[in-house]
Amino acid sequence: KEVHHRVKNNLQMITSLLNLQSHNITERTASETVLESKNRVHAMSLIHHNLYSQDSVTEINIGQYLLNLLDNLESSYQTDDKDIEVKFKAIDVVMDVDVAIPMGLIVNELVSNCFKHAFNDLSKGIITVRFQKNNDKYLLSVCDNGRGNGGIDLMREGSLGMVLIRDLSKKLKAELRIETTNGVSTELIFLVKAPVL
């Protein structure tokens, strides 16, 4: 627990340094890049905060973790000129930290992409995040009701976010599906042996 506490503090220090750096940035793209980095660090920091705050030092409640993660993303990206609602539904399940971290980073990338790209020229929208169990597999989905991408294969994009999503999906041994016709819908299907509470 002490190790998790120290890791959390170190990650918070990195976030503070990024905050200080962001005050001196006026160029929009650079500012957005720093914000993305801050949110990635926060996604990992939340894991260690949860592990330090509970009895188990290797497993966390994934639903509560993702809810906290989504709250942070909403506060980071929500603006006065748009009304973006985030809907969230998850089963109550405890997962090993080695699964929770990739999941958290994937959700961070997908939801960030929704906020940044799905609702251009739209005043309102909905982002839906679900984590469900179907027999012996788990389904993680992030969908938006934005303009979509005309069916273009996002997997071919070379952005850091898409590289992270692909690599982390492989780490989870997950099947990754992305549909971009009506909004963007991303699904990950993977097998995890974890007790359901």
Side-chain angles (χ1 to χ4, degrees):
K1 290 184 73 171
E2 179 61 24
V3 169
H4 285 303
H5 183 61
R6 292 187 183 207
V7 171
K8 181 200 74 167
N9 287 345
N10 287 337
L11 290 171
Q12 287 178 337
M13 179 67 73
I14 294 171
T15 300
S16 297
L17 291 170
L18 289 169
N19 277 330
L20 289 172
Q21 186 70 52
S22 66
H23 293 314
N24 299 320
I25 296 175
T26 56
E27 204 272 320
R28 181 179 174 183
T29 303
S31 179
E32 289 176 352
T33 300
V34 171
L35 177 60
E36 290 168 4
S37 297
K38 283 166 49 181
N39 286 332
R40 288 168 185 145
V41 172
H42 183 76
M44 292 183 288
S45 177
L46 268 178
I47 292 279
H48 296 284
H49 172 74
N50 288 355
L51 291 170
Y52 173 72
S53 304
Q54 63 189 27
D55 293 332
S56 174
V57 293
T58 59
E59 296 177 325
I60 66 167
N61 184 300
I62 198 69
Q64 186 59 51
Y65 165 61
L66 291 177
L67 180 61
N68 293 339
L69 183 65
L70 293 173
D71 286 343
N72 177 69
L73 291 171
E74 275 195 275
S75 65
S76 294
Y77 288 106
Q78 196 71 267
T79 59
D80 293 336
D81 62 330
K82 290 186 185 292
D83 178 21
I84 309 301
E85 180 184 2
V86 178
K87 295 184 177 181
F88 176 63
K89 185 174 183 180
I91 57 172
D92 207 14
V93 62
V94 171
M95 288 192 160
D96 188 272
V97 64
D98 289 337
V99 175
I101 288 177
M103 274 187 62
L105 288 170
I106 288 170
V107 170
N108 180 79
E109 295 304 318
L110 292 173
V111 174
S112 295
N113 284 344
C114 292
F115 272 109
K116 290 187 298 181
H117 305 298
F119 308 108
N120 294 338
D121 303 323
L122 296 174
S123 61
K124 60 172 56 178
I126 299 173
I127 301 169
T128 305
V129 180
R130 291 191 182 94
F131 183 61
Q132 303 165 314
K133 186 179 181 191
N134 185 8
N135 297 323
D136 60 343
K137 293 184 179 179
Y138 291 97
L139 170 65
L140 173 66
S141 66
V142 177
C143 308
D144 66 67
N145 67 342
R147 295 194 180 280
N149 203 23
I152 295 173
D153 185 6
L154 295 181
M155 291 299 291
R156 294 184 178 180
E157 290 192 3
S159 68
L160 176 59
M162 287 310 302
V163 170
L164 281 173
I165 291 167
R166 283 196 301 264
D167 290 350
L168 292 168
S169 298
K170 290 177 183 177
K171 182 176 177 63
L172 291 174
K173 297 180 180 178
E175 178 185 354
L176 178 61
R177 302 173 181 169
I178 302 177
E179 196 276 323
T180 64
T181 304
N182 300 308
V184 175
S185 174
T186 305
E187 292 183 342
L188 285 94
I189 302 167
F190 58 100
L191 178 65
V192 175
K193 294 181 180 179
V196 178
L197 295 176

